[in-house]
Amino acid sequence: MAVVAASLGAAGLVACDSDGDGTSSSPSFSDRPSPPDTASFSGSPPSALASAAESAEAAARASASAAAASASALEASRQASIGAEAERSRQAAQDALKDVQGRGNALDEVAMTGKPRSDTDGRLAVVVSVRNTTDATASYAVQVDFLDASGKVVETRYVGVEDLPPGERKQPLVISRNPPEPVLTPRLAKAQRY
């Protein structure tokens, strides 16, 4: 019985596949293929547009990195230049004051004000204000002494202002190298116009 049922089923399948005139036809195909089931893909297929975008992004990152490195190198160079110029100016001020007798000829053109320790990591710092009150361009050398509680000089710092035009003012900063404690007192020791 099972064999007869299987035979009839096979005959039915053959009959369904005929066109009605007794000849069998080839299987039909669609002109438009169906899209793949992307749910089973792991990732996205590469495309020319995606590759170009990735290349452009990588080039932009490399360019930005090179620009940042260049800016960093320029800033380091600028800082080194400022440091070298400050040291040269300090040495020139010290040399200008070496042979000065007394307190110098420019005490009335120089003043000092303290800077908050919160701005200087706890270090003692003073702003030296130099104003050229003459009719000609002048350079100035200033000596600041730092004294302990007994009045003893424990540190001396020099600062210079060069080629200051008449009526102009500059305000260099002088910072003590000593630790915050014990507390020191700054004193304007000498100021020379040259």
Side-chain angles (χ1 to χ4, degrees):
M1 196 65 130
V3 174
V4 173
S7 297
L8 287 175
L13 283 177
V14 171
C16 288
D17 196 26
S18 66
D19 330 61
D21 63 356
T23 63
S24 69
S25 66
S26 62
S28 63
F29 291 100
S30 170
D31 290 338
R32 214 179 264 183
S34 62
D37 180 15
T38 58
S40 62
F41 288 178
S42 61
S44 57
S47 72
L49 185 58
S51 294
E54 288 172 5
S55 295
E57 184 179 345
R61 269 196 305 259
S63 177
S65 177
S70 177
S72 178
L74 283 173
E75 179 61 17
S77 175
R78 186 183 76 81
Q79 291 292 337
S81 177
I82 289 171
E85 177 59 25
E87 177 55 27
R88 189 203 59 74
S89 179
R90 186 204 65 75
Q91 188 61 53
Q94 186 174 355
D95 292 344
L97 289 170
K98 185 172 29 178
D99 297 324
V100 171
Q101 300 297 317
R103 297 187 66 202
N105 63 7
L107 282 176
D108 59 341
E109 296 175 70
V110 178
M112 290 189 327
T113 55
K115 190 147 180 76
R117 288 183 185 247
S118 59
D119 294 347
T120 60
D121 291 331
R123 298 283 182 179
L124 177 59
V126 291
V127 177
V128 177
S129 182
V130 179
R131 183 174 183 87
N132 184 351
T133 60
T134 70
D135 295 338
T137 297
S139 295
Y140 294 82
V142 178
Q143 175 183 329
V144 177
D145 290 338
F146 292 94
L147 294 75
D148 65 11
S150 70
K152 178 185 171 194
V153 176
V154 295
E155 181 182 15
T156 298
R157 305 284 285 153
Y158 299 92
V159 67
V161 173
E162 297 175 333
D163 302 322
L164 188 62
E168 294 291 315
R169 180 176 65 164
K170 282 202 176 175
Q171 295 181 300
L173 187 64
V174 176
I175 302 173
S176 172
R177 292 183 200 153
N178 281 287
E181 298 294 332
V183 176
L184 301 177
T185 303
R187 179 182 71 188
L188 180 58
K190 291 182 181 182
Q192 181 73 14
R193 180 180 59 254
Y194 62 97

